[in-house]
């Protein structure tokens, strides 16, 4: 089992729809969770961090964490073509290492 | 602040040659990370430093890879000898106060080993 797993996609949604990105992790002790966005040919940039169970909202983005299920998700409301990118889930493991998932490619079609 | 600076942006070399990648972290950041990204394996952590000291190098693929951080403003990742399977984008990232803080990535070095 990979330490952090994501569906590679591509996930295709129409403009204005809600995009839902999912991530599971293996280490129950993990405390810190992050979503990074990476445009093609660019470096990753942090868009959301979440540390406790529940939802955290920032503009059109909502991160959801369920530690019991070892599951973290990212919702993007009113998706825009500019949201088309690869979204990387990252988890801070008990080992102290920040491990990234493979990433999910999102395509928002006008 | 100029952000994390990596050089070179692109490196093309032949198998067997030595390759040195360079990174200047953001001033004041006490953690520095080297990641490698490929389509097959995604973004893999190779090694990270805290206050210039290597903390975990378990992700370094083999003895051909080595990393140093002689001072707070400079780090190198060296591959000797290089092999075609080392072809990837290598990212350096820095942060402050540990792994629960935002990582700032450099622009990456695109390495091609022929």
């Amino acid at each position: 089992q990979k330490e952090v797993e994501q569906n590679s996609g591509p996930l295709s949604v129409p403009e204005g729809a809600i995009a839902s990105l999912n991530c599971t992790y293996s280490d129950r002790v993990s405390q810190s969770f992050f979503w990074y966005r990476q445009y093609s040919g660019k470096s990753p940039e942090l868009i959301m961090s979440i540390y406790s169970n529940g939802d955290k909202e920032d503009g059109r983005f909502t991160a959801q964490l369920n530690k019991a299920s070892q599951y973290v998700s990212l919702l993007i409301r009113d998706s825009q073509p500019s949201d088309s990118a690869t979204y990387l889930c990252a988890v801070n493991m008990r080992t102290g290492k920040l491990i990234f998932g493979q990433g999910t490619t999102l395509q928002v079609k006008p | 602040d100029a952000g994390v600076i990596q050089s070179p942006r692109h490196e093309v070399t032949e198998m067997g040659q030595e390759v040195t990648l360079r990174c200047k972290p953001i001033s004041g950041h006490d953690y520095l990370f080297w990641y490698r990204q490929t389509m097959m394996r995604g973004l893999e952590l190779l090694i990270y430093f805290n206050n210039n000291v290597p903390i975990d190098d378990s992700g370094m693929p083999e003895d051909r890879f080595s990393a140093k951080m002689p001072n707070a403003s400079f780090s190198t990742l060296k591959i000797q000898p290089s092999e075609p399977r080392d072809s990837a984008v290598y990212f350096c990232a820095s942060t402050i106060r540990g792994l629960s803080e935002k990582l700032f990535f450099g622009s990456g070095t695109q390495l091609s080993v022929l």
Side-chain angles (χ1 to χ4, degrees):
Chain A
Q1 181 188 7
K2 291 183 179 179
E3 293 175 292
V4 181
E5 294 203 61
Q6 296 180 255
N7 187 324
S8 62
L11 173 65
S12 183
V13 301
E15 183 175 355
I18 296 175
S20 178
L21 305 163
N22 304 314
C23 171
T24 58
Y25 59 94
S26 61
D27 188 352
R28 289 187 172 275
V29 180
S30 299
Q31 296 294 320
S32 309
F33 308 86
F34 308 89
W35 284 98
Y36 282 77
R37 177 176 62 199
Q38 186 176 24
Y39 291 112
S40 181
K42 302 296 185 182
S43 55
E45 57 177 340
L46 181 69
I47 54 172
M48 290 288 287
S49 58
I50 187 166
Y51 303 99
S52 54
N53 279 329
D55 295 359
K56 178 181 178 182
E57 186 175 319
D58 184 1
R60 295 186 296 112
F61 297 97
T62 298
Q64 299 175 317
L65 175 61
N66 184 326
K67 290 185 179 180
S69 300
Q70 294 173 236
Y71 178 91
V72 58
S73 64
L74 179 70
L75 300 178
I76 306 174
R77 291 181 300 280
D78 188 23
S79 296
Q80 301 297 309
S82 59
D83 295 327
S84 298
T86 296
Y87 289 80
L88 301 165
C89 173
V91 179
N92 186 359
M93 299 289 175
R94 75 173 76 190
T95 54
K97 297 190 291 188
L98 186 64
I99 303 299
F100 285 81
Q102 286 278 94
T104 298
T105 299
L106 174 65
Q107 298 174 346
V108 181
K109 298 186 175 181
Chain B
D1 198 321
V4 177
I5 300 173
Q6 290 187 247
S7 64
R9 288 296 307 274
H10 303 276
E11 177 79 33
V12 180
T13 190
E14 293 187 347
M15 182 174 63
Q17 296 298 305
E18 177 179 298
V19 175
T20 299
L21 312 181
R22 296 173 176 80
C23 175
K24 176 180 169 55
I26 293 173
S27 176
H29 283 192
D30 55 353
Y31 281 80
L32 183 140
F33 304 80
W34 283 101
Y35 284 89
R36 176 174 70 175
Q37 188 172 39
T38 61
M39 287 293 292
M40 287 294 295
R41 301 175 68 90
L43 198 61
E44 300 175 278
L45 177 63
L46 300 177
I47 185 171
Y48 74 94
F49 296 83
N50 177 215
N51 291 323
N52 314 337
V53 176
I55 302 302
D56 189 325
D57 66 353
S58 59
M60 297 286 262
E62 48 199 272
D63 292 345
R64 297 185 298 107
F65 286 69
S66 62
K68 294 181 180 180
M69 192 165 186
N71 57 62
S73 59
F74 184 66
S75 177
T76 60
L77 178 67
K78 185 175 294 186
I79 308 172
Q80 167 63 21
S82 58
E83 296 182 3
R85 59 192 168 125
D86 302 329
S87 298
V89 179
Y90 290 80
F91 286 105
C92 175
S94 70
T95 190
I96 191 168
R97 292 194 301 275
L99 294 172
S100 292
E101 298 293 335
K102 174 182 177 179
L103 281 189
F104 292 81
F105 282 83
S107 298
T109 294
Q110 173 74 60
L111 173 64
S112 298
V113 183
L114 307 177

